[in-house]
Amino acid sequence: MSSLFSKSNLFSSLRGIPQQGPLPVELFSRRGFHVEPGAREKALLEDDPALRKFKSHKKSVVRAKKIGDALIILVVAACSYEIYYKAMEKRAKFDQVSDTKNT
């Protein structure tokens, strides 16, 4: 059983990997360093006049996001207060029980 968990068995697969410096960044990034977008990418990023009629809802979306953010803050605050209130209630009950035991 001890042979299953010996150090030589656990780390034998790591011995074949030579210890070198940090790995080159090119292995992690497919594009490499920053490359200026080409003509096609720039054309795709420009505003399309045919799609302007669909952007009329932008103000309402921003307003809905702000309302959602405010509601999230409100819910988190309410939950935090509820947790605090329950903890104080439990502590008061514990103090009351310990006071009756001492007297």
Side-chain angles (χ1 to χ4, degrees):
M1 186 69 173
S2 66
S3 64
L4 291 175
F5 298 112
S6 69
K7 280 188 176 180
S8 62
N9 286 341
L10 286 175
F11 299 111
S12 63
S13 62
L14 299 176
R15 270 190 232 139
I17 302 172
Q19 289 293 332
Q20 296 176 345
L23 295 174
V25 177
E26 293 84 27
L27 293 177
F28 297 110
S29 175
R30 291 181 66 197
R31 288 186 76 180
F33 294 103
H34 176 71
V35 178
E36 197 63 37
R40 185 167 187 260
E41 287 92 1
K42 287 180 180 178
L44 288 171
L45 291 173
E46 289 179 6
D47 285 339
D48 189 2
L51 297 175
R52 287 219 174 126
K53 64 180 180 180
F54 298 110
K55 293 189 177 183
S56 63
H57 70 284
K58 188 173 182 179
K59 289 181 183 178
S60 61
V61 168
V62 170
R63 186 179 302 138
K65 284 182 182 180
K66 285 183 181 180
I67 292 171
D69 291 344
L71 286 175
I72 288 172
I73 291 170
L74 181 68
V75 168
V76 168
C79 290
S80 300
Y81 177 75
E82 185 73 22
I83 291 169
Y84 170 77
Y85 180 78
K86 292 288 184 182
M88 289 298 113
E89 191 176 65
K90 193 174 191 178
R91 185 174 185 176
K93 188 181 281 187
F94 178 75
D95 288 343
Q96 195 175 37
V97 169
S98 65
D99 287 344
T100 57
K101 285 184 180 180
N102 290 337
T103 57

